Amino acid sequence: MRSLRTGLSLTSLVAGLALLLTAPAAHAADTPLRDLGTAKGKVIGTAVTGSKLTGAYGDIAGAQFSSLTPGNAMKWGSVEPTQGSFNWTEADQIVAFAQAHNQQVRGHTLVWHSQNPSWLTNGSWTSAQLGTLLQNHISTEVGRYKGKLAAWDVVNEPFNEDGTYRSTLWYNGLGADYIANALTWARAADPAAKLYINDYNVEGVNAKSTALYNLVKSLKERGVPIDGVGLQAHLILGQVPSTLQQNIQRFADLGVDVAITELDIRMTLPSDSAELAQQKADYKAVTAACVAVARCVNLTVWGFTDSDSWVESTFPGQGAATPYDANYAPKPAYYGIAEALGGTSTPPPTGACGASYSVGSQWNTGFTGTVTISCSGASLSSWKVTWTYGAGQRITQAWNAGCTQSGAAVTCVNASYNGTVPDGGSVSFGFNASWSGSNPVPTVTLG
Ligand code: G3I
């Protein structure tokens, strides 16, 4: 009995040690994005392809996200390729997966100028026929998922860049009120689903987003059911609009929810560490803007892995737009989202050594912190870790490192005896510091 207990504890000790050594290089932040989001009152979503929801793709989709959007499966061309003949297979599969993983589903999309079946786009319809077709489509699809979906992108991409209405099958055949009618029909088919208008290039304050703003305002004044606006956010590296938060806020002030519905941030290929670092900053900025406005309720990425993104086929030479690489390893962008949601783990953003910062015990005026430098596939003979405190914290004492603080900027270098971090190993140092008001975790940089 006694030797059995000893054997078990040795085994678990060895297992625990192995996990500690490999974890920093191998995997994502300690707390999944969906849980970080919950703590901030945000739903964190991804677009998915139903047929891929197994293996690593399914594991990540289920573990990290609290909302799924079918990337293509609920579009008219997917569900009714032949008039009167429906195919719900992939859409049903995604809804079932979401239910099994305690996730919301955002329905996408009911009224769009693209990805419609050819029988619809090639037909010649009177205005009355077109209206009936649209009403039946909405009643059928929304009705099928009644009570199961959190939200619908009812109308997708109704505007031109200058804020005029886009010339489409729907606008040309039915006039601008196709939007109000679609919303009304969707509400009738599922009173519980939140109803959205969704568009791209409406993230900042500009002519197009102002047209959307004016439309939502007038729909609300008319009593048309509209619950939210979707800002797609297909962005270009380094070009997060400076007015993003202000724009989210003005919609919130109109009395509607806001969702970031299709976030991706594309760059010139091949990606390099500077681009990936900029992408992290961009993802963090978008997430922070959503976190800053209570009515920004959902932040969804348009595919979580670079292997499942529309970007490379649409913009030749551009890509790497999502938070995970094509082999399902989290990129710096992943940690940008995590940090903006209050995540505390900062593993290697690039390269094979990295530093992470954690707060140990904390009392009313002070706290103890630990920084761990870990390497996998590389080693160090000396190290320097820097960070900037965001809320006036001050280091009072450090051990196993030499730390100096100038204003908010902290620099810590190795002691004479612990500069070496071997491949697969780690070194930690500790410190005491003062705080008041709040004690946010800073981003630490190894270098
Ligand atoms: O399913 C067929 C497959 O059978 C065929 O072999 C293959 C050959 O090209 O095409 C496959 O269909 C593609 C489909 O995605 C599924 O992968 C279409 O060609 C392709 O055009 C389609 O692209 C989709 C795009 O919308 C169409 O505009 C993207 O996956 C989808 O991510 C994208 O999503 C849109 C949002 O709905 C609205 N906002 C913009 C966003 C990006 O374009």
Side-chain angles (χ1 to χ4, degrees):
M1 189 64 187
R2 195 180 165 77
S3 66
L4 181 63
R5 286 219 326 250
T6 309
L8 278 176
S9 62
L10 256 181
T11 308
S12 52
L13 180 68
V14 170
L17 203 60
L19 189 70
L20 264 178
L21 295 179
T22 55
H27 232 279
D30 301 338
T31 310
L33 297 181
R34 60 183 292 171
D35 297 337
L36 294 172
T38 301
K40 295 280 185 191
K42 311 295 168 187
V43 174
I44 306 298
T46 180
V48 289
T49 302
S51 59
K52 297 184 180 175
L53 285 169
T54 58
Y57 183 98
D59 289 346
I60 295 170
Q64 294 286 336
F65 299 95
S66 45
S67 173
L68 301 183
T69 303
N72 290 296
M74 288 187 175
K75 292 169 180 173
W76 199 332
S78 301
V79 301
E80 196 184 7
T82 305
Q83 188 170 15
S85 159
F86 295 90
N87 182 352
W88 304 106
T89 311
E90 189 189 346
D92 285 355
Q93 183 188 4
I94 292 169
V95 172
F97 183 97
Q99 289 178 336
H101 292 82
N102 193 23
Q103 294 168 308
Q104 294 186 358
V105 178
R106 290 186 62 86
H108 175 86
T109 176
L110 297 168
V111 193
W112 194 23
H113 60 273
S114 183
Q115 288 182 285
N116 288 316
S118 53
W119 63 262
L120 175 66
T121 50
N122 294 340
S124 89
W125 316 101
T126 65
S127 179
Q129 286 170 326
L130 203 56
T132 303
L133 282 168
L134 184 57
Q135 180 171 12
N136 286 342
H137 169 63
I138 291 173
S139 307
T140 303
E141 182 154 11
V142 178
R144 178 179 182 84
Y145 297 108
K146 181 180 180 182
K148 296 182 177 170
L149 268 55
W152 270 104
D153 289 332
V154 177
V155 178
N156 201 35
E157 302 172 1
F159 289 111
N160 295 315
E161 298 304 294
D162 66 0
T164 56
Y165 282 110
R166 187 192 285 268
S167 165
T168 69
L169 174 68
W170 308 115
Y171 180 75
N172 298 339
L174 300 170
D177 255 0
Y178 82 90
I179 295 173
N181 289 332
L183 289 161
T184 304
W185 295 328
R187 174 68 94 235
D190 185 354
K194 300 291 187 192
L195 306 180
Y196 281 67
I197 301 172
N198 189 49
D199 216 325
Y200 63 88
N201 288 351
V202 293
E203 293 75 33
V205 174
N206 57 35
K208 192 174 186 180
S209 66
T210 298
L212 179 59
Y213 178 91
N214 290 334
L215 172 63
V216 170
K217 186 164 184 284
S218 102
L219 291 170
K220 284 192 74 80
E221 283 164 2
R222 291 167 58 192
V224 175
I226 175 72
D227 302 305
V229 295
L231 315 182
Q232 292 185 8
H234 294 292
L235 301 177
I236 296 169
L237 191 72
Q239 296 185 24
V240 177
S242 59
T243 51
L244 174 60
Q245 186 181 325
Q246 175 194 342
N247 192 43
I248 295 172
Q249 186 67 56
R250 73 170 170 161
F251 282 105
D253 292 344
L254 267 186
V256 292
D257 291 338
V258 178
I260 308 289
T261 51
E262 304 184 13
L263 176 61
D264 51 31
I265 302 176
R266 59 186 181 267
M267 63 183 69
T268 302
L269 296 174
S271 59
D272 61 30
S273 58
E275 285 179 315
L276 293 171
Q278 179 65 51
Q279 189 185 44
K280 175 183 178 180
D282 291 348
Y283 266 94
K284 190 170 181 175
V286 173
T287 308
C290 184
V291 166
V293 181
R295 285 202 83 146
C296 184
V297 295
N298 181 306
L299 181 136
T300 288
V301 294
W302 202 244
F304 64 86
T305 158
D306 291 339
S307 67
D308 189 39
S309 170
W310 70 297
V311 168
E312 287 186 38
S313 59
T314 307
F315 301 98
Q318 300 276 303
T322 79
Y324 283 80
D325 73 16
N327 298 315
Y328 302 124
K331 291 157 55 181
Y334 171 93
Y335 299 103
I337 301 172
E339 286 172 17
L341 293 171
T344 55
S345 170
T346 310
T350 54
C353 295
S356 68
Y357 173 112
S358 65
V359 174
S361 59
Q362 180 171 302
W363 55 99
N364 54 355
T365 56
F367 69 97
T368 297
T370 303
V371 171
T372 300
I373 299 113
S374 314
C375 289
S376 177
S379 61
L380 295 171
S381 56
S382 66
W383 45 263
K384 179 174 83 171
V385 180
T386 59
W387 66 88
T388 302
Y389 273 133
Q393 300 100 317
R394 285 211 69 83
I395 303 261
T396 52
Q397 183 191 7
W399 51 96
N400 297 333
C403 292
T404 54
Q405 181 166 359
S406 167
V410 177
T411 301
C412 297
V413 298
N414 59 275
S416 58
Y417 51 85
N418 66 357
T420 300
V421 186
D423 184 0
S426 64
V427 166
S428 293
F429 67 88
F431 57 88
N432 287 333
S434 62
W435 71 286
S436 68
S438 68
N439 187 16
V441 170
T443 302
V444 294
T445 304
L446 178 66

